[in-house]
Amino acid sequence: MSRAIEETQKMIDEVLDVYPEKTRKDRAKHVKPNDPTGSCANCQVKANVKSRPGVMTVRGCAYAGAKGVVWGPVKDQITISHGPIGCGQYSWWSRRNYYNGQTGIDTFGTMHITTDFQEKDIVYGGDKNLDAALDELKELFPLANGIGILSECPVGLIGDDIEAVAKKKSKEFNGMPIVPCRCEGFRGVSQSLGHHIANDNIKDYVLGKGTLEKQTPYDVALIGDYNIGGDAWASRKILEEMGLRVIAQYTGDASVNEIGIAHKAKLNLIHCYRSMNYICRHMEEEYGTPWTEFNFFGPTKIYESIRKIASYFDDSIKEKAEAVIAKYRPKMDEIIAHFRPRLEGKKVMLYVGGLRPRHTIGAYEDLGMEIVASGYEFAHNDDYKRTYPEMKEGALIMDDATEYELEEFTHRVRPDLVGAGIKEKYTYHKLGVPFRQMHSWDYSGPYHGFDGFAVFARDMDATINSPTWNLIRRKKSA
Amino acid sequence: MIPLTIKDHSKLFREPEYLDQFERKRAFENCPSREEVERIAEWTKTEEYRDKNFARSHIKINPAKACQPLGALYCALGFENTLPFCQGAQGCIAYFRSHLNRHFKEPVQAVSSSMTEDAAVFGGMNNMTEGLENAYALYKPKMMAIFTSCIAEVIGDDLNAYTKAAREKGVVPGDLLMPYANTPSFVGSHITGYDNMMKGILSHLTAGKSGEPNGKTNVIMGFDPYIGDYREIKRMLSLMDIKYTVLSDVSDSLDAPNTGEAKLYRGLTTIEETKDAINAAATVVLQKYSTLKTVEYMKKDWNQKFLVKQPIGIRNTDEFLSGLSQITGKAIPQALEDERGRVVDAMIDSHPYVHGKRFALVGDPDLLMGMVSILLELGGEPVHIVCTNGDKTFAEDMEALLASSPFGASGKVYINRDMWHLRSLMFTDPVDLLIGNSYAKFLWRDTKTPLIRFGFPLFDRHHLHRYPIIGYQGALNIVTTIVNTILDELDRSTIETTSFDVIR
């Protein structure tokens, strides 16, 4: 064990010491010093298991994964929050999955549609009500191309048969996809199971049912990009300039039709591996559609990814790929020249969902910044395996960190910038530590692609170098 | 160095290369023609569509309410060293916290017992026991305010038995306070949850504490998302020389000074004050519909004077202050009378712009009562009043209020309706202005009716919650916001004309 690893382990032990014994032992498996080689047996992070009660986990639930990530962004589907009022209210219009369309007419992404369970629904069941609700929606929104029924906790507990209702109504509505999604919040350990369940829905209810007039040798599908602040559009721009034809986006700015045709691509390109690897694997097994991971955060990773993607195609694409890189490199160099001197050497701590804790590292490094700690809310083992080599030896890796741990590690690691979510944001503002939301891009974006990197660099600079932090008058510690 | 031009989403996606991309993408979307979309869009503005829309009874579309446990959490945040603890699945707490974060732009700390499938089968006792143990070890509260979300309610967890068992097991200290409230999301709304938690905390902490009268006045704000209101009521009470206890004082919890430290607990109502609240001379309650059960309980068990009156607008504030004066025996000071005079003067100055303007309103029942009453005082005309979480009593109260003024003649109140209903109303019977929360901005987009932001949540404008809407000071803020929204709109709509005046 190297010294860097030992020192980090010591820090971890100190922080976890406050927990009751059982919880301490559990948490110790989830917080580790990084070993980039992956050979240190004791440095493997345990992942995707239940959070301990009462610790203030940052995690959400399966519903959040299904609604907020996979199904919510599908724009021409009516997504029903099936159950009591809260879940739909709190997840309403908040993920910034941009889409083109007239909301309420041909698209429904930023609407909150719910069966609003009352006590009688709990007692007598909600199926009858759901059946009638679907009729009402069909009448009021004739241009909807699908309906998603996203179950909240009570639905699974009272034994409703939403599958039967969905089947019946789909028949009545001339085969319109009506997707019963069993994403009750008590299922699984985090948002992650919701992604998986929603991926299975795609397989069972939508995939293979779309129309695509003709296929070309250059067809790709953009998978695992939720178009936050327009991310997918910035990514699509690069792919199209490479000569590829993007036949489907999963699921940012997606239409139901696109969800139904992705298997016809020559290659599936997956950005958020965590939330959509399931459907890629399925398309590979069932239709022989190959898939590859890529990273469009920051020029280094973008160039690398462009070449990797091009390698699956003929020379015409490879040439265009080089032309794209040559076209954008001067602009990227200019951005780096402008911002790097202002950000060089700054230490960053990340705590995000299932992809960005590793995928944004390159973008920070392009700006001369160093990731000293990174963690995931809902990653699995395969995500950590992909993370170790991206980080320095002895860097801190956290799985399902608690608010207590995040604050304690911040005091010890002393980052210049923290990137996490809305629940963490204002604690860091109070601590006087520069902070950016890395789920919603803090209402900015896009961050993907060449256009996105410029915004990313601007935003990190704006926050780290804001004069407002210097106005804080710290209380003298006693 | 030539400054870099960096375009973010607000400008980038209006560039021709992106517009072309969007056009190309349509080929894969199997979308209806633009003409068809336009046809349907026009149809949704018709009376025929409105009637279909109002015939619906099984689905809510853009409703204006949240669920009980959110209100319970909010209530708990106002007490000293209190950790809100939700017996339920962990996603609920994540949602409540982020919802409050987005409105207040402040940290909100609360825990859940992370109930999962096994708890659904075996009950949530183990989750609660371990949850209490962990939460206490990490966050050392004096009080855990326990409430529930759906799973615990549906499977019927027994909070009383579980907290008792946890104490007996010794996982938390014997003197840890653990008041609780059942707050099922399928009953009522966030205002009901606030009420239940308040009742839970007060009944638990004051049990057996009845003793020497302390001569103080208790204040209960109700589910009031304006931190400025907490400061305003305290200022008013101080001006009147009334000794008070605000029960659940969140003014620091959700608007704390930045001193470079992240203090976990900032609730200002001390445990001792809360226990002693039963011995106060009087209790004043500033909202009605978010405190029904609490008031019922207090009136039954607490032997003191009560005043339930919301001080939004001039006459409401007048009545509030005279009621307060009556139950406390303290006079209304000249300073408040002067404030009144200044606000009335401001209202007279601004009246031409508001007089006869037609308003649509959506929000919580208490807020709506206040907003309608100040509009009537200004000569504005409330027309469509939508209250998703209002009940029949509220509807009757509102009708009586409308009937009290000629300006209320065209007002109609809709309970258990949502903002999609309001959309139909605004298309078939247009109004000049809309009052609502941030989500109501889709109505602004669709109907082009300017939105004046009042209520909860307010996500898309900063710091509004830091300014009071109660009392004379609050009335001034409301009037200023309304009239300046009208003037902004007037400027926008006349920018190319001779009416673009410099003096308004």
Side-chain angles (χ1 to χ4, degrees), chain B residues 164-448:
Chain B
K164 228 181 237 170
R167 212 188 289 282
E168 278 162 16
K169 264 194 163 174
V171 297
V172 291
D175 61 352
L176 178 71
L177 293 161
M178 291 189 282
Y180 64 85
N182 289 96
T183 50
S185 301
F186 43 84
V187 175
S189 70
H190 54 290
I191 62 174
T192 327
Y194 179 94
D195 193 8
N196 282 328
M197 191 78 249
M198 182 62 84
K199 183 187 163 191
I201 290 173
L202 296 183
S203 57
H204 188 86
L205 267 65
T206 63
K209 299 288 173 191
S210 191
E212 284 295 297
N214 63 26
K216 286 166 82 176
T217 299
N218 300 317
V219 179
I220 293 179
M221 300 297 286
F223 187 93
D224 182 346
Y226 286 85
I227 298 308
D229 284 352
Y230 288 79
R231 303 220 165 93
E232 183 59 15
I233 190 72
K234 290 194 277 189
R235 191 184 68 88
M236 283 157 59
L237 291 165
S238 298
L239 281 173
M240 288 180 73
D241 195 27
I242 295 169
K243 277 194 272 172
Y244 59 81
T245 304
V246 177
L247 295 168
S248 182
D249 185 350
V250 294
S251 45
D252 268 13
S253 323
L254 294 161
D255 189 18
N258 195 318
T259 57
E261 57 175 2
K263 229 174 118 188
L264 180 57
Y265 303 116
R266 297 181 191 259
L268 291 181
T269 310
T270 67
I271 303 288
E272 288 314 309
E273 281 173 322
T274 310
K275 287 177 177 171
D276 201 31
I278 195 168
N279 299 315
T283 294
V284 294
V285 183
L286 280 72
Q287 289 189 352
K288 177 179 172 184
Y289 311 99
S290 65
T291 59
L292 295 167
K293 286 179 188 163
T294 303
V295 169
E296 183 190 48
Y297 147 76
M298 288 194 303
K299 281 189 171 165
K300 192 168 142 277
D301 285 20
W302 294 18
N303 183 26
Q304 48 189 252
K305 293 176 195 160
F306 288 95
L307 171 69
V308 181
K309 181 72 204 170
Q310 180 194 48
I312 293 184
I314 299 300
R315 290 201 180 88
N316 282 337
T317 304
D318 293 348
E319 285 173 34
F320 175 81
L321 291 177
S322 68
L324 193 59
S325 173
Q326 235 164 43
I327 60 170
T328 59
K330 301 277 188 179
I332 302 167
Q334 188 58 37
L336 283 173
E337 190 59 32
D338 289 349
E339 278 177 25
R340 185 188 190 281
R342 289 191 190 99
V343 184
V344 169
D345 192 53
M347 289 168 77
I348 291 167
D349 297 343
S350 299
H351 82 271
Y353 294 99
V354 189
H355 189 98
K357 287 276 190 308
R358 288 156 52 84
F359 288 78
L361 302 98
V362 57
D364 285 340
D366 287 292
L367 179 89
L368 286 174
M369 289 298 291
M371 296 311 294
V372 165
S373 90
I374 194 166
L375 284 180
L376 296 175
E377 288 174 336
L378 277 162
E381 295 180 18
V383 179
H384 312 303
I385 303 155
V386 171
C387 188
T388 310
N389 54 348
D391 60 7
K392 280 192 186 134
T393 321
F394 161 74
E396 284 163 20
D397 291 350
M398 182 57 84
E399 277 154 14
L401 175 61
L402 290 168
S404 72
S405 158
F407 295 94
S410 41
K412 194 165 173 208
V413 55
Y414 302 86
I415 55 167
N416 202 25
R417 297 295 188 176
D418 53 47
M419 287 195 249
W420 198 253
H421 292 114
L422 183 53
R423 183 180 184 273
S424 280
L425 293 172
M426 289 170 71
F427 274 125
T428 54
D429 185 10
V431 293
D432 301 300
L433 294 147
L434 165 66
I435 291 179
N437 65 25
S438 290
Y439 287 117
K441 77 191 286 181
F442 88 90
L443 293 166
W444 173 39
R445 177 192 62 205
D446 289 5
T447 70
K448 314 293 176 221

Side-chain angles (χ1 to χ4, degrees), chain A residues 78-198:
Chain A
I78 295 172
T79 303
I80 304 174
S81 297
H82 185 41
I85 190 74
C87 316
Q89 178 77 22
Y90 310 127
S91 56
W92 181 8
W93 205 342
S94 57
R95 286 267 304 161
R96 306 186 65 240
N97 319 105
Y98 285 1
Y99 60 89
N100 287 310
Q102 253 200 70
T103 300
I105 309 301
D106 62 342
T107 49
F108 312 93
T110 53
M111 295 173 76
H112 166 25
I113 298 175
T114 175
T115 41
D116 186 18
F117 265 31
Q118 300 299 302
E119 204 145 24
K120 64 173 170 37
D121 300 301
I122 304 293
V123 177
Y124 301 110
D127 286 342
K128 243 176 102 180
N129 192 32
L130 176 64
D131 188 303
L134 293 171
D135 286 332
E136 291 175 354
L137 289 171
K138 179 83 171 105
E139 190 166 14
L140 291 173
F141 304 110
L143 298 183
N145 285 325
I147 299 177
I149 304 162
L150 272 58
S151 303
E152 301 168 10
C153 287
V155 174
L157 296 168
I158 61 177
D160 274 7
D161 189 356
I162 59 167
E163 288 78 6
V165 179
K167 198 172 166 188
K168 171 174 173 257
K169 300 312 281 187
S170 178
K171 205 177 262 175
E172 285 176 31
F173 296 172
N174 297 319
M176 174 199 271
I178 301 184
V179 181
C181 182
R182 284 290 183 175
C183 55
E184 287 90 345
F186 62 82
R187 294 189 199 280
V189 305
S190 68
Q191 292 94 312
S192 185
L193 186 66
H195 307 145
H196 198 152
I197 292 167

Side-chain angles (χ1 to χ4, degrees), chain A residues 54-68:
Chain A
V55 294
M56 214 181 299
T57 170
V58 179
R59 281 174 169 176
C61 63
Y63 168 91
K67 160 93 190 279

